[in-house]
Amino acid sequence: AGKLDARGFAGLLAGMGLAWCWDGHDLMGLWTTFNARTYIQPQLHKAVGLEGLLDSRHMRLRDWLVFRPGQLALTSVLRDNTGQRAFHVQPMPSLGFPSDHAIVAATLRHARPLHALSRSLSARRTSTPNL
């Protein structure tokens, strides 16, 4: 399939019947990785000058939480590039955050009530012979 941008990846997931944490967000405005480096960081071949540091070409949405919508439902999602549940538009890694990928944290809940899940599991146990 080649490389996909965020919208292309979301379309692929939708075609597979999957849900993702960024549904309903502006996918082209979100980013979780920062590829540009300053001249004092490793990977000098990725170094850019100050004027190009916050160019959107260096920021990509690469981190997704994917789940089956019939099993789980998203309650909340956040990006964190500080380690303190906050996200700042700044180069990554930094002295305070050593990764070039942001933390993606989400709260998920069961899509079906737990009593319905336990009935479903009980029915499977009784209908499946022991091997």
Side-chain angles (χ1 to χ4, degrees), residues 60-105:
R60 302 273 190 265
L61 182 58
R62 305 277 177 165
D63 301 282
W64 299 62
L65 299 172
V66 178
F67 52 94
R68 295 189 186 280
Q71 296 173 348
L72 297 170
L74 182 70
T75 302
S76 65
V77 63
L78 67 87
R79 297 174 297 162
D80 178 357
N81 64 355
T82 66
Q84 299 175 356
R85 300 179 61 88
F87 190 85
H88 300 291
V89 177
Q90 65 186 19
M92 298 186 305
S94 67
L95 289 175
F97 192 79
S99 178
D100 62 353
H101 284 259
I103 296 167
V104 176

Side-chain angles (χ1 to χ4, degrees), residues 4-131:
L4 298 173
D5 65 7
R7 285 187 191 130
F9 187 62
L12 179 71
L13 294 175
M16 296 170 58
L18 297 171
W20 55 93
C21 62
W22 306 120
D23 192 21
H25 290 81
D26 172 20
L27 297 179
M28 302 317 283
L30 286 176
W31 53 278
T32 59
T33 61
F34 195 89
N35 295 34
R37 299 288 182 267
T38 65
Y39 286 101
I40 60 171
Q41 293 175 295
Q43 300 178 322
L44 282 176
H45 64 282
K46 292 183 179 179
V48 298
L50 186 59
E51 69 283 349
L53 193 59
L54 293 179
D55 186 316
S56 64
R57 290 175 295 165
H58 304 300
M59 302 172 211
R60 302 273 190 265
L61 182 58
R62 305 277 177 165
D63 301 282
W64 299 62
L65 299 172
V66 178
F67 52 94
R68 295 189 186 280
Q71 296 173 348
L72 297 170
L74 182 70
T75 302
S76 65
V77 63
L78 67 87
R79 297 174 297 162
D80 178 357
N81 64 355
T82 66
Q84 299 175 356
R85 300 179 61 88
F87 190 85
H88 300 291
V89 177
Q90 65 186 19
M92 298 186 305
S94 67
L95 289 175
F97 192 79
S99 178
D100 62 353
H101 284 259
I103 296 167
V104 176
T107 302
L108 300 167
R109 63 175 172 75
H110 289 281
R112 293 186 285 171
L114 285 178
H115 64 325
L117 288 173
S118 64
R119 276 196 309 262
S120 174
L121 290 173
S122 295
R124 281 189 201 162
R125 276 191 231 120
T126 59
S127 65
T128 305
N130 291 336
L131 300 176

